[in-house]
């Protein structure tokens, strides 16, 4: 009965632990304090705070009447299908004045190149990304990364996932950003769309001068007018300069058919960088001053890393608080809520989340969309490229669609709204951003000599925000640095070998504790086997009175000098390694250096990606088994379970060969743990499973050696054992502490023997 209860308790505790590891990150608060969720407003405040009609949901970026013809991406500049007739976007008239935006013909162009093998061997003289720009909203259709390294491909060579993926060219360059289609109405949305320009008009409908807008106490909120730019095709001109390519997009805003403003947007992409300079400029065309605001959307539909393992995409942000930089993230659950309509049906409600939230100190440094390994980071800067968000009045995390399902996070993005700025005939208004489109790689983000901006802005926050609440970030960073160092400096420069060497390092460090624990456990087993007859007598005498039996049993333990809790010493090495396992889990799951890093035990077939399950075979569709979905056949978890069983078989036994009931229960518990861990870690990264499995197999060798030592000690005559008391086992602090433990233990054993005699 006791064994059954123990097994049930163990199984329940492991299930609770497993559930908490996955549910905990979803319910635990994220540092720093989360921004509060607020409802979108559709008109600016009296002070001109800008949230426009595009705030709650930007206008569609693809009209239903758009061309059905295909788009050819091979040439630098192309047009798509039969062009619709140029049109205008109209704003509500004020004082008889109607604002409109001209529309040009559809056009797409390319900046950069994703060819991994141009004639130039120096990667600093290659383009690292390929941008496909669209004239609608002056937006980005897609972004591809040049596969300078194997980890920038969609899949590693030989991976069967490539055969199952119907959307991506399996071994082509990694597609970081895509356009997105709404499920409900078919609207198409793109990254970095300029959504609108908001213009302040005077009481008669003309342009308001700077002096007018600054009249103290004057309410001008009803005279701001929004001109939609997201649904309109801009003119696009591409040009090349030494070391870089530039695309200039422009659109004209008219008042009663007369040119009033021109909005110019420029993308600049240089060789050897993941950075894109994005500049917005508003010019006056009618010779009058104007007050304007711009609304700029961020990236959308960043690539979903692994749909079967959950959607890890989210919005990251960084706040500058004094000299410190605080990072955080916003997930879908914070921007979406449900409410019931008049008929009682549930309706999805999209709630913009401000950055920073009300009551949160600090200025926004950057915002980003990202997945496990890649990110699109947008940082406001000044004319000299220095960090400056003073021209930004509001930043919000938003959803663009009501899409649901496995791809529901695709439309999660953010938008910037600029402050009201004066545009004079000779002084345009400017808004500038640095846009990073690339991998979340430590060699980029922690390299202040080559990439000082990344380090100064703490782009590492996009990696650290992926750590679960139970991970101590410094330990995870230490594990990452150790792995990278072992890979870079130890032949044959293989990540699997680096993980195995790391196992040896940890095992050597913990060897004194492991040895002490096993010696203590063997001593306890011997003493318990000696007490077995007396314990049986107590059970016969007090079997009907459980409380009395427990009291007499503990009294017997005290009389014999036995502390049952001391047997927990054998669990100490595993407890000490648990933080390392968790930190390594975070490292392997979020370190792009290990993406597509293979161990290649079976070349081209097994362990092709240490950041994913080892998957010797993948099913086309998941197979349902009890409460789990099995997507592949993984070998390492079973080898790990086997290693735990073998470890139990090689555990030191008492000299008599007999084991107490308590020891038998512990053995059953270890067998149960082998099964539970095999199931729980079945879909974990193969690098983590390799680490723990290798640790167990090295532990078998260590146990064998310790067992030999224990048997030699047990076979020594008593005189030799007493003579050995007090002899130090080595030099140093660790050896000294262990010698004191051994001295105390043997003295106690000598005292007990004397009492028995």
């Amino acid at each position: 009965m006791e064994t059954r209860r123990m097994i049930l308790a163990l199984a329940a505790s492991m299930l609770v632990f497993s559930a908490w590891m996955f549910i905990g990150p979803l319910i635990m608060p994220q540092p720093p304090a989360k921004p509060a969720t607020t409802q979108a407003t559709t008109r600016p405040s009296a002070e001109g705070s800008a949230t426009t009609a595009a705030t709650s949901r930007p206008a569609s970026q693809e009209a239903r009447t758009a061309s059905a013809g295909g788009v050819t991406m091979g040439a630098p500049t192309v047009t798509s299908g039969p062009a619709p007739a140029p049109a205008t976007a109209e704003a509500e008239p004020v004082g008889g004045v109607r604002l409109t935006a001209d529309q040009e013909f559809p056009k797409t162009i390319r900046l950069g190149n994703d060819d991994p093998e141009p004639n130039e061997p120096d990667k600093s003289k290659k383009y690292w990304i390929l941008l496909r720009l669209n004239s609608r909203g002056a937006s980005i259709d897609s972004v591809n990364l040049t596969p300078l390294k194997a980890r920038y491909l969609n899949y590693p060579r030989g991976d069967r996932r490539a055969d199952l993926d119907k959307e991506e060219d399996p071994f082509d360059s990694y597609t970081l950003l895509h356009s997105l289609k709404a499920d409900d109405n078919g609207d198409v949305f793109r990254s970095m769309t300029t959504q609108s320009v908001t213009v302040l008009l005077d009481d008669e409908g003309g342009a308001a001068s700077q002096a007018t807008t600054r009249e103290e106490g004057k309410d001008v909120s009803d005279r701001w007018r929004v001109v939609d730019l997201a649904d309109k095709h801009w003119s696009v001109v591409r040009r090349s300069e030494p070391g870089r390519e530039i695309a200039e997009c422009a659109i004209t805003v008219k008042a009663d058919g007369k040119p009033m403003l021109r909005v110019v947007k420029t993308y600049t992409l240089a060789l050897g960088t993941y950075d894109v300079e994005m500049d917005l400029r508003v010019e006056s065309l009618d010779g009058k001053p104007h007050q304007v605001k711009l609304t700029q959307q961020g990236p959308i539909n960043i690539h979903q890393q692994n749909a079967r393992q959950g959607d890890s995409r989210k919005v990251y942000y960084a706040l500058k608080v004094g000299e410190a930089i605080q990072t955080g993230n916003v997930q879908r659950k914070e921007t979406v809520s449900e409410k019931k309509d008049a008929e009682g049906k549930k309706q999805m409600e999209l709630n913009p989340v401000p950055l920073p939230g009300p009551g949160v100190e600090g200025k926004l440094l950057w915002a980003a969309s990202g997945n496990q390994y890649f990110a699109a980071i947008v940082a406001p800067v000044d004319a000299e490229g220095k960090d400056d968000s003073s021209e930004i009045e509001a930043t919000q995390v938003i959803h663009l669609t009501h899409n649901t399902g496995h791809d529901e996070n695709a439309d999660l993005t953010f938008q910037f709204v600029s402050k009201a700025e004066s545009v004079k005939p000779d002084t345009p208004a400017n808004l500038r951003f640095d846009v990073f489109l690339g991998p979340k790689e430590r060699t980029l983000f922690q390299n202040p000599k080559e990439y000082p901006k990344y380090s100064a802005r703490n782009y590492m926050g996009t990696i650290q925000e992926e750590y679960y609440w139970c991970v101590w970030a410094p330990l995870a960073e230490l594990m990452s640095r150790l792995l990278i160092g072992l890979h870079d400096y130890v032949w044959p420069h293989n990540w699997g070998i680096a993980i195995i060497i790391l196992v040896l390092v940890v095992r050597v460090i913990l060897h004194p504790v492991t040895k002490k624990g096993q010696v203590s456990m063997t001593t306890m087993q011997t003493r318990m086997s000696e007490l077995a007859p007396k314990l049986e007598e107590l059970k016969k005498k007090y079997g009907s009175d459980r409380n009395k039996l427990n009291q007499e049993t503990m009294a017997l333990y005290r009389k014999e000098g036995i502390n049952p809790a001391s047997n927990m010493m054998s669990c100490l090495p595993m407890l000490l390694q648990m933080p390392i396992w968790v930190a390594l889990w975070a490292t392997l799951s979020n370190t792009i250096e290990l993406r597509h890093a293979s161990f290649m035990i079976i070349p081209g077939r097994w362990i092709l990606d240490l950041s994913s399950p080892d998957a010797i075979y993948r099913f086309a569709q998941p197979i349902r088994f009890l409460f789990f979905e099995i997507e592949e056949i993984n070998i390492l978890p079973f080898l790990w379970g086997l290693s735990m069983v073998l470890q139990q078989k090689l555990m030191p036994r008492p000299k008599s060969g007999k084991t107490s009931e308590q020891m038998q229960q512990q053995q059953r518990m270890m067998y149960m743990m082998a099964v539970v861990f095999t199931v729980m870690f079945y879909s974990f990264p193969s690098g983590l499973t390799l680490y723990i499995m290798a640790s167990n197999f090295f532990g078998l060798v260590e146990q064998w050696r310790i067992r030999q030592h224990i048997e030699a000690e047990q076979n020594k005559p008593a005189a030799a054992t007493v003579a050995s008391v007090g002899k130090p086992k080595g030099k140093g602090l660790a050896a000294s502490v262990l010698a004191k433990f051994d001295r105390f233990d043997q003295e106690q054993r000598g005292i007990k023997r004397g009492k028995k005699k």
Side-chain angles (χ1 to χ4, degrees):
M1 189 67 179
E2 292 295 329
T3 302
R4 181 182 178 185
R5 290 182 178 178
M6 179 196 68
I7 293 175
L8 290 175
L10 175 63
S13 62
M14 294 307 300
L15 289 175
V16 171
F17 172 76
S18 179
W20 177 248
M21 290 293 290
F22 290 98
I23 297 174
L26 303 177
I27 63 176
M28 294 293 288
Q30 297 284 343
K34 282 294 184 184
T37 300
T38 59
Q39 296 293 333
T41 57
T42 57
R43 300 183 68 176
S45 66
E47 294 78 19
S49 66
T51 49
T52 67
T55 300
S56 60
R57 182 178 178 186
S60 161
Q61 296 168 20
E62 189 72 80
R64 298 287 184 94
T65 58
S67 165
V71 179
T72 303
M73 295 299 182
T77 305
V78 297
T79 58
S80 56
T88 58
E90 299 185 356
E92 181 182 348
V94 176
V97 175
R98 184 175 298 276
L99 300 182
T100 59
D102 280 352
Q103 178 167 242
E104 300 293 334
F105 291 98
K107 195 174 186 180
T108 60
I109 66 169
R110 294 163 46 123
L111 292 184
N113 197 322
D114 64 346
D115 182 4
E117 298 179 355
N119 295 328
E120 177 56 60
D122 185 358
K123 71 174 186 178
S124 65
K125 296 181 181 180
K126 302 177 183 179
Y127 284 106
W128 291 5
I129 56 178
L130 168 65
L131 301 180
R132 293 182 174 92
L133 306 181
N134 194 293
S135 59
R136 188 178 292 275
S139 58
I140 296 178
D141 253 331
S142 64
V143 176
N144 285 71
L145 304 185
T146 304
L148 302 174
K149 302 175 182 177
R151 55 180 173 262
Y152 302 156
L153 294 169
N154 286 315
Y155 297 104
R157 299 288 178 181
D159 196 327
R160 191 167 184 269
R161 286 177 296 179
D163 301 330
L164 305 177
D165 194 333
K166 306 302 182 184
E167 297 181 0
E168 297 291 341
D169 186 348
F171 307 122
D172 199 1
S173 57
Y174 187 85
T175 304
L176 179 64
L177 299 175
H178 314 249
S179 58
L180 175 67
K181 187 175 183 179
D183 293 339
D184 52 359
N185 54 22
D187 291 344
V188 176
F189 298 85
R190 298 180 176 87
S191 297
M192 312 310 296
T193 298
T194 301
Q195 296 172 349
S196 63
V197 60
T198 309
V199 185
L200 181 64
L201 302 178
D202 61 20
D203 294 327
E204 288 73 32
S209 66
Q210 187 174 6
T212 302
T213 61
R214 293 183 177 176
E215 285 186 40
E216 186 175 357
K218 186 176 181 62
D219 183 4
V220 297
S221 60
D222 61 341
R223 292 191 281 111
W224 286 102
R225 288 297 172 265
V226 179
V227 181
D228 173 45
L229 304 179
D231 270 340
K232 299 305 166 188
H233 288 283
W234 300 38
S235 65
V236 182
V237 177
R238 176 185 178 274
R239 68 178 186 272
S240 296
E241 296 181 359
R244 62 179 186 172
E245 292 182 353
I246 300 171
E248 186 173 281
C249 313
I251 193 168
T252 300
V253 177
K254 295 181 178 180
D256 286 339
K258 298 179 180 179
M260 179 182 184
L261 298 169
R262 177 187 291 118
V263 182
V264 181
K265 184 177 185 179
T266 305
Y267 293 96
T268 304
L269 174 63
L271 292 168
T273 182
Y274 290 111
D275 289 329
V276 178
E277 297 177 8
M278 185 175 70
D279 299 337
L280 288 165
R281 184 174 74 253
V282 183
E283 304 169 346
S284 174
L285 299 180
D286 59 3
K288 300 177 182 179
H290 303 278
Q291 292 286 304
V292 299
K293 303 175 184 180
L294 289 168
T295 303
Q296 175 62 46
Q297 176 203 297
I300 65 168
N301 201 15
I302 194 165
H303 187 80
Q304 188 172 358
Q305 192 58 40
N306 191 334
R308 292 186 178 183
Q309 295 183 359
D311 197 340
S312 62
R313 292 174 293 184
K314 56 179 69 74
V315 168
Y316 310 91
Y317 62 90
L319 305 177
K320 189 72 175 289
V321 183
E323 296 300 320
I325 298 177
Q326 297 180 358
T327 59
N329 67 77
V330 178
Q331 302 182 41
R332 177 182 173 81
K333 64 180 181 180
E334 300 168 65
T335 61
V336 175
S337 61
E338 289 185 351
K339 67 176 183 178
K340 294 184 178 180
D341 58 15
E343 299 179 357
K345 297 180 180 179
K346 291 184 178 180
Q347 300 289 334
M348 181 188 298
E349 188 174 35
L350 306 179
N351 305 311
V353 176
L355 298 177
V360 178
E361 296 182 357
K363 293 184 177 181
L364 184 76
L365 191 60
W366 49 260
S369 293
N371 57 27
Q372 268 181 293
Y373 302 115
F374 300 90
I377 308 174
V378 184
V381 296
D382 60 16
E384 298 178 356
K386 297 180 180 179
D387 297 325
D388 182 11
S389 60
S390 61
E391 297 299 324
I392 304 299
E393 183 174 62
T395 307
Q396 292 181 320
V397 179
I398 59 173
H399 273 283
L400 302 180
T401 73
H402 288 79
N403 290 1
T404 58
H406 75 281
D407 205 29
E408 63 184 9
N409 285 351
D411 67 334
L412 184 64
T413 185
F414 50 88
Q415 66 179 14
F416 299 99
V417 181
S418 70
K419 292 181 179 178
E421 191 169 353
S422 177
V423 179
K424 298 179 181 179
D426 56 347
T427 307
N430 294 283
L431 194 61
R432 297 181 174 88
F433 300 93
D434 273 354
V435 183
F436 172 87
L437 302 169
K440 300 194 297 187
E441 194 161 338
R442 286 170 170 81
T443 53
L444 295 174
F445 295 167
Q446 293 182 321
N447 190 346
K449 291 185 178 180
E450 294 188 33
Y451 308 102
K453 291 191 298 185
Y454 302 164
S455 177
R457 293 172 182 164
N458 192 24
Y459 283 177
M460 268 297 295
T462 59
I463 299 177
Q464 294 169 344
E465 284 297 317
E466 288 293 320
Y467 296 158
Y468 290 120
W469 60 272
C470 56
V471 177
W472 188 38
L475 182 58
E477 289 299 314
L478 175 62
M479 298 299 295
S480 176
R481 289 177 181 273
L482 280 174
L483 273 177
I484 294 173
L486 290 171
H487 172 268
D488 291 346
Y489 298 108
V490 177
W491 185 87
H493 310 292
N494 181 277
W495 289 105
I497 299 298
I499 290 174
I500 292 175
I501 295 175
L502 182 61
V503 170
L504 287 173
V505 172
V506 174
R507 274 288 176 183
V508 169
I509 294 174
L510 295 180
H511 175 72
V513 180
T514 304
K515 181 179 178 182
K516 183 63 182 176
Q518 292 198 16
V519 170
S520 174
M521 184 179 63
T522 304
T523 303
M524 177 62 67
Q525 288 176 343
T526 302
R527 301 298 306 280
M528 293 299 294
S529 64
E530 294 172 355
L531 288 180
K534 296 182 179 181
L535 291 173
E536 286 297 327
E537 291 180 4
L538 291 177
K539 286 183 179 180
K540 294 178 181 179
K541 186 175 182 179
Y542 303 105
S544 59
D545 189 346
R546 183 172 295 276
N547 291 333
K548 185 64 175 176
L549 176 62
N550 291 337
Q551 292 174 6
E552 292 298 326
T553 301
M554 294 307 298
L556 178 62
Y557 286 159
R558 286 193 297 269
K559 180 180 178 181
E560 298 294 334
I562 295 176
N563 181 10
S566 64
N567 202 36
M568 293 298 294
M569 184 74 175
S570 61
C571 300
L572 188 58
M574 180 178 289
L575 294 176
L576 291 176
Q577 287 195 84
M578 282 300 293
I580 297 176
W581 292 353
V582 176
L584 189 64
W585 178 19
T587 299
L588 295 175
S589 299
N590 301 290
T591 301
I592 192 174
E593 284 83 357
L594 272 72
R595 183 176 186 263
H596 297 173
S598 65
F599 195 23
M600 299 291 281
I601 294 179
I602 301 178
R605 188 65 182 174
W606 188 33
I607 311 185
L608 303 177
D609 189 350
L610 289 167
S611 65
S612 301
D614 56 290
I616 196 169
Y617 180 80
R618 295 184 185 274
F619 301 110
Q621 296 294 332
I623 297 177
R624 191 77 179 178
F625 178 74
L626 297 179
F627 304 104
F628 307 95
E629 283 190 349
I630 301 177
E631 303 172 359
E632 60 269 316
I633 297 177
N634 303 325
I635 302 299
L636 287 180
F638 292 105
L639 294 178
W640 178 17
L642 176 63
S643 68
M644 293 185 68
V645 173
L646 293 176
Q647 267 191 324
Q648 180 59 32
K649 291 289 186 182
L650 289 179
M651 288 296 287
R653 299 290 190 270
K655 189 175 182 180
S656 63
K658 299 180 180 179
T659 56
S660 65
E661 183 179 350
Q662 184 180 6
M663 294 300 106
Q664 292 175 359
Q665 290 179 353
Q666 288 185 0
Q667 291 175 10
R668 298 189 193 102
M669 182 177 66
M670 291 299 295
Y671 294 145
M672 186 66 182
M673 288 179 63
V675 175
V676 171
F677 277 131
T678 299
V679 174
M680 188 173 69
F681 281 70
Y682 187 78
S683 297
F684 274 36
S686 56
L688 176 62
T689 313
L690 174 66
Y691 175 92
I692 303 175
M693 184 201 68
S695 179
N696 284 354
F697 278 111
F698 281 123
L700 292 175
V701 178
E702 186 180 29
Q703 276 185 316
W704 172 75
R705 184 66 186 91
I706 293 174
R707 187 172 181 175
Q708 284 188 327
H709 168 77
I710 292 173
E711 290 175 352
E713 288 292 324
Q714 290 177 341
N715 292 330
K716 284 183 179 180
T721 303
V722 174
S724 65
V725 175
K727 292 183 180 181
K729 295 189 176 183
K731 299 180 180 180
L733 178 61
S736 176
V737 172
L738 289 174
K740 290 180 181 179
F741 273 115
D742 287 338
R743 189 181 305 116
F744 176 78
D745 182 60
Q746 296 195 29
E747 286 175 355
Q748 293 297 316
R749 290 169 62 183
I751 292 172
K752 298 302 179 184
R753 290 193 189 96
K755 287 182 179 180
K756 289 182 179 180
K757 293 179 180 179

